[in-house]
Amino acid sequence: MTYLTRLTAAIKKELEEGRLGTPVFVRLVIVASSDHGHLVPNSVAGMQVVRELLGPPIEEIFAAGSVESGNLSVQLHLEGGRTGQVLSILRREGSPGADLLLVGNHGTLRHDLAEAGLAGETEERLWSADGVRGELVAAVEESLRKRSPVRLG
C-alpha cells in the first residue's frame, strides 16, 4: 500500500464525518528528490488522489511545465465545477514530501508529509505508481505537447 493510498483513506474518513462539508477543491504538491522520470507518474498518482477525494470524474486537464525543467503542474476540472491542482516538483537536495490542501464548503484540511514525520521514507515507497492509468499519462503528455487543455472521456 502506498503512502498516498493511506493518506487518501484517512482524509476520506474525515470527509465522511462531515466536518468539511462538500469538497470543492484539492491542491496537492508532490516534491520528488530523484530523477526527472518520476514527475509524470507522480502527477498522475496525484490526479487519482484529487479525483478520489472530490468524487466526480475528471472532465479536462491542462498540464504545464516540463520533465526537463523539473516541475509539472496539472490543473483538473471535474464534473460539477470542482477543481484540483497537482504540482510535481523536483528538488535536488532534501527529502521527498507532499502538501495536500482540501477545501470544502464548510472548512479546510491541510496535511504536510514532512510534518507527519515520513519525509525520510524512500521516494519509491512514497510515490509508487501502482495502478497509474495509461489514459491519464497519455492526457498529461498530450496537454504538454499541445500546450492546451485536453478533454477526457
Side-chain angles (χ1 to χ4, degrees):
M1 179 184 290
T2 67
Y3 178 75
L4 287 177
T5 302
R6 292 192 311 267
L7 175 62
T8 303
I11 292 172
K12 286 176 83 173
K13 184 176 179 181
E14 288 198 42
L15 287 174
E16 289 170 6
E17 295 172 2
R19 184 172 75 85
L20 303 174
T22 303
V24 295
F25 173 78
V26 174
R27 183 202 68 212
L28 177 60
V29 179
I30 300 170
V31 180
S33 63
S34 68
D35 70 86
H36 298 283
H38 290 272
L39 293 179
V40 172
N42 286 352
S43 295
V44 170
M47 291 167 63
Q48 291 175 300
V49 168
V50 169
R51 198 242 149 282
E52 197 168 331
L53 292 175
L54 294 181
I58 300 169
E59 291 185 331
E60 183 177 83
I61 67 157
F62 177 67
S66 70
V67 172
E68 293 78 21
S69 71
N71 66 74
L72 189 58
S73 173
V74 183
Q75 181 76 31
L76 297 92
H77 298 275
L78 293 86
E79 282 183 6
R82 297 176 188 190
T83 59
Q85 184 175 31
V86 176
L87 305 163
S88 293
I89 302 164
L90 177 71
R91 179 186 303 155
R92 298 192 197 309
E93 297 178 15
S95 300
D99 182 85
L100 185 137
L101 172 69
L102 176 94
V103 178
N105 63 346
H106 294 300
T108 62
L109 173 91
R110 182 174 173 265
H111 181 81
D112 186 333
L113 174 61
E115 289 176 6
L118 297 172
E121 291 199 30
T122 66
E123 188 162 308
E124 183 178 339
R125 182 169 174 199
L126 291 173
W127 312 122
S128 168
D130 293 342
V132 171
R133 293 186 3 215
E135 173 190 15
L136 293 177
V137 171
V140 168
E141 290 172 348
E142 180 182 352
S143 182
L144 288 170
R145 187 175 54 255
K146 291 170 52 176
R147 298 181 183 204
S148 65
V150 173
R151 295 212 39 94
L152 301 175

